Amino acid sequence: MSATENTPLAKINSVFTGFGLMHDSMVYWAVVAGLALLGGMIGDSYVHHILILVFIWCIVIASWDLILGYAGIFNYAQLVFFTFGAYGSAMLSIYAGLSPLLAIAAAAGIGAVIGLIVAMPSLRLKGEYVALFTFAVHLALPPLIQQGKAIGMGGNTGLLGIPWLNLFGYQVSSIDKLTWYWVALAFGAVCVYLIYFIVLRGRMGLAFIAMRDADTFAQAIGVNEYKYKMLAFVVSAVFTAVAGGLYAHYTSVVTPKVLGTEFFLMAMVMLAIGGMGRFPGAVLGVFIVVIGNELLRSFDDFRLLLLGVAVVLTVIFLPNGVAGLFAKRK
Amino acid sequence: MTQILEILISGITQGAVYCVVAVGLSLVYGASRILNFAHGSLYSLGGFLAWYLVVGGPGIPLWLAFLLILPVLALTGVVIERAVIRPLRGSDNWKINTIMVTLGLAFIIENGLQLVFGPGTRTIPPFVEGSLSISGITITWYKLSIFVISLALVGALELFLSSTRYGQAVRAVSQDMQGANQVGINVNQVFSTTFALSVVLTGVAGILLAPVFLVSPLGGWAPFLKAFVIVVLGGLGSTKGAFVAAFILAVLEAFVIFYIGPSWAMPAWLLMLIIVLMVRPKGLFGVWEN
Amino acid sequence: MLEVEGINAFYGDFHVLHDASLRVGKGELVSVVGANGHGKSTLLKAICGLTPVKSGQVRFEGHDIAGLKAPHLVGQGLVYVAEDRRLFPDMTVLENLQLGAYLSGAREHEKHNLDRVFTLYPRLAERRKQLCRSLSGGEAQMVALGRGLMSNPTLLAIDEPSLGLAPNLTEMMLTTVSQLNKDGLTVLIVEQSIALLKGMIDRVYSIEEGIVRETNAYNMQEVL
């Protein structure tokens, strides 16, 4: 206990890089700045589109990594949070006329509530029970969205014509890829920074590591397991819901397809290939998978099968993902 | 009254087949602590193989198809255990890795089926036609026969586990792996065997239910989740518990479908899962979990 | 019968056994004595194929068995009885004993060995239908030892049978071990204190921080 009190928490070094917070932050923002510049240099709007998706995915996967990789909770309801964020933000801006940015903020609130609701039963369970329960929530959601047609969830066709983002009076249309590129990068960079540099290097991250690596020890030194696991759910859900909202306003369409096999598989492959609980593994995983997935477009029929194969092979042969490769070389 | 009885009977016959899926799931979990997320996809695999042999392909009779499919299912189970599960045993994040791998496998099987057979739904004609009527209550011969077959399967499994030396060994592995090692039980072989049996059970259930429900590549998730709820209510590793739980839950499901609507079936199962976990986290007869 | 030469074993990255050697002759009762955490159990488990041996030789009845796994060694007559019993809690006493004779070699002698166990411990015969979960510590230890005997061992390796038992029960357990040895069974036993084994062992080894030394039993008593 005294050790944690005497050590300024911000000084805890990343397990991955081994450097201090300042150093890592500077590297991080330099990379983000580089990506921002890169956006201006890219002329192809299709490439912009792919990278916009990458940035949105980064938020989802970083949030998932927070709960699955760092907190060690086998949560598979991540896309449920995403869906609530997307639908919530879309409906608030369509029906309540909320400006999209406000709607996204409200979606974050919805995410917190949903995170809490999913967390409560989950935290009474252990290990793989959590996995199954949360995945069951994921599977049970599409029929409920069907039922939600009555309250304006659009059923199978989903919601169309979701308002564009409005930045200081400027409408950012889906066609304006370059602006969207910077918007998505800004959202992605801030969220990922908050997750890995603020939350996970703070008291919460420390508690997670203690719980994951030495459960009884963590309890002995007074880490309130229930509280921190609950927080993990809520924080993870909030960020994921923001990503969902962003996605809704970018594509201006949300359908139950966000809960389909493709998205779920993509998310799994990203985390598996990147490596769980080893920043920046998961984020790298997003880049690799989204770009790889685009390169595989020509194999469209086999794409999902290949994604499944990729999950199995990486888990068996590269159990710590790409991040594991780097760690070995160190 | 007649209506309620019919719902009850429909629930009970359905429950017997769910029970087959559930005991398969709990057999593997009991022995190797692996929750096989591909269990439902393997159920679909059984249905599709039968559809191919009986309807889409050579058109052989269903009983012959059964004989051909059983070894294929058993072999599939052994291959999955050897190639995918065993390499992970003893690794750092064993639990999360097996969840990832079996989920990945589920998607491989699903998409493989979709590639080979196309995305649509299929059906197999039942092997017996007609129905039985007793004082106004009607039940098809087919439902009655799958009820009997399912009971026989579950009974046979229970008998195998309780009265044969190899069945004892399976229980021994599930109760104390090192202890099993010490008395000379080949634990890896037991893992393979339970996996093979489990795939056979779920695949057979997939075949039996093909004429009632439809066969589709994604159709395995529902029976998988139902099986899981049954296993949780019955208590992991308890065949008896699964048996009782399957009937309770299937009857409840039948009432939900009749009075509220089929699209509420899955949410209802989820709700039952939550209630079960809240009220009785160890299930009705849970014994294996320490 | 058993010759162990310079074996090394690890627990994770931790080097537990350093070039450990020992020898057990046919019909002997040999003991390894040492304090907790010095590698006694690891030594026994390494010999019996329950923990990997990094280097060194283990010969049993002339065959090199280093690296062979427990299920295989049980069939050859090298049987391990664990300190934490490792019974199957939701099976009956009888089922636990029957599983001791799981392999075909032991199955041939199952009836005879079962009689032997029940004669040795009549209490187990009384409780044959009881689940092991509900047994007392002493009874559980009887089942553990009985299950070992059911495997028809030529060498029985017993890991700290006194663990968690009251002194009178410990004495009773060790008396039966001594009796089994007098009837011709070769035994390698691990204990914390040599005092418990007084008068029944042929030779004794001490183990300290993973280093094994043969010790004169008389000296050993002085040391402790």
Side-chain angles (χ1 to χ4, degrees), chain A residues 128-129 132 136 147 261 305, chain B residues 29 95 107-108 228 236 263 270:
Chain A
E128 57 274 57
Y129 281 61
L132 213 123
Q147 297 294 323
T261 312
L305 188 70
Chain B
Y29 186 84
K95 210 147 229 181
F107 292 121
I108 294 176
F228 178 75
L236 272 166
S263 63
L270 197 62

Side-chain angles (χ1 to χ4, degrees), chain A residues 64 68 74 76 120-122 124-129 131-133 135-137 139-140 143-144 147 261 264-265 268 271-272 276 278 301-302 304-305 307-312 315-316 319-320, chain B residues 29 33 35 37 83-84 87-88 92-93 95-101 103-105 107-112 115 218 221 224-225 228 232 236 263-264 266-267 270 273-274 277-278 281 289-290:
Chain A
W64 202 16
L68 192 67
F74 297 167
Y76 281 84
M120 282 193 292
S122 300
R124 294 183 56 116
L125 313 175
K126 45 178 202 179
E128 57 274 57
Y129 281 61
L132 213 123
F133 172 72
F135 190 57
V137 172
L139 288 175
L144 288 180
Q147 297 294 323
T261 312
F264 191 80
L265 257 175
M268 268 182 47
L271 209 51
M276 275 172 260
R278 296 157 178 264
D301 290 344
F302 295 92
L304 292 178
L305 188 70
L307 282 175
V309 173
V311 171
V312 173
V315 173
I316 294 177
N320 295 320
Chain B
Y29 186 84
R33 295 294 183 275
L35 189 56
F37 277 79
V84 179
L88 298 178
D92 286 349
N93 304 310
K95 210 147 229 181
I96 185 71
N97 284 344
T98 53
I99 293 174
M100 285 294 218
V101 157
L103 258 175
L105 206 60
F107 292 121
I108 294 176
I109 296 167
E110 259 176 44
N111 289 297
L115 270 179
L218 301 171
W221 288 112
F224 168 60
L225 282 178
F228 178 75
V232 171
L236 272 166
S263 63
W264 287 95
M266 258 351 278
L270 197 62
L273 175 65
I274 295 174
L277 289 170
M278 294 287 164
E289 197 73 344
N290 295 321

Side-chain angles (χ1 to χ4, degrees), chain B residues 162 165-166 168-169 171-173 175-176 178-186 189 287-288 290, chain C residues 50 70-71 74 80 82 86-91 95 98-103 107 110 133 147:
Chain B
S162 63
R165 198 49 74 90
Y166 200 79
Q168 267 185 355
R171 284 189 294 145
V173 170
Q175 290 175 25
D176 194 316
Q178 193 201 312
N181 242 313
Q182 270 169 237
V183 298
I185 295 167
N186 183 340
Q189 192 200 53
V287 281
W288 280 2
N290 295 321
Chain C
L50 290 152
V74 175
Y80 174 74
R86 292 290 174 176
L87 301 181
F88 308 121
D90 292 305
M91 289 202 228
E95 279 181 306
Q98 283 174 337
L99 277 165
Y102 176 74
L103 293 175
R107 191 89 51 100
E110 185 176 343
R133 181 181 285 290
R147 194 177 69 183

Side-chain angles (χ1 to χ4, degrees), chain A residues 67-294:
Chain A
I67 191 164
L68 192 67
Y70 285 86
I73 303 167
F74 297 167
N75 169 44
Y76 281 84
Q78 209 62 31
L79 292 179
V80 170
F81 306 148
F82 185 84
T83 306
F84 271 97
Y87 270 92
S89 184
M91 286 167 74
L92 284 171
S93 56
I94 294 175
Y95 301 121
L98 232 56
S99 100
L101 272 183
L102 272 178
I104 292 176
I110 295 173
V113 174
I114 299 299
L116 212 61
I117 291 173
V118 176
M120 282 193 292
S122 300
L123 293 184
R124 294 183 56 116
L125 313 175
K126 45 178 202 179
E128 57 274 57
Y129 281 61
V130 180
L132 213 123
F133 172 72
T134 48
F135 190 57
V137 172
H138 175 107
L139 288 175
L141 200 54
L144 288 180
I145 292 176
Q146 300 272 341
Q147 297 294 323
K149 205 167 179 173
I151 57 161
M153 296 184 85
N156 250 344
T157 40
L159 292 170
L160 310 170
I162 300 164
W164 291 329
L165 212 57
N166 185 329
L167 287 178
F168 317 111
Y170 174 67
Q171 299 274 339
V172 192
S173 82
S174 300
I175 308 146
D176 185 359
K177 298 289 183 203
L178 184 58
T179 312
W180 257 108
Y181 176 93
W182 282 322
V183 169
L185 175 63
F187 267 94
V190 170
C191 288
V192 169
Y193 185 81
L194 288 174
I195 289 170
Y196 285 112
F197 288 77
I198 306 300
V199 174
L200 285 174
R201 284 194 176 193
R203 184 169 286 279
M204 206 166 145
L206 205 65
F208 289 160
I209 292 168
M211 287 184 321
R212 193 185 56 181
D213 295 343
D215 216 356
T216 34
F217 174 70
Q219 279 168 22
I221 61 167
V223 172
N224 183 340
E225 194 182 340
Y226 190 81
K227 182 181 105 187
Y228 279 108
K229 287 194 166 169
M230 188 67 94
L231 268 174
F233 262 105
V234 172
V235 171
S236 179
V238 164
F239 283 114
T240 309
V242 167
L246 202 61
Y247 176 82
H249 295 286
Y250 172 59
T251 57
S252 79
V253 182
V254 200
T255 69
K257 261 184 86 176
V258 291
L259 289 164
T261 312
E262 176 165 4
F263 271 35
F264 191 80
L265 257 175
M266 291 264 290
M268 268 182 47
V269 190
M270 288 169 187
L271 209 51
I273 286 189
M276 275 172 260
R278 296 157 178 264
F279 178 77
V283 176
L284 288 178
V286 175
F287 278 83
I288 296 170
V289 173
V290 174
I291 294 168
N293 189 46
E294 287 310 312

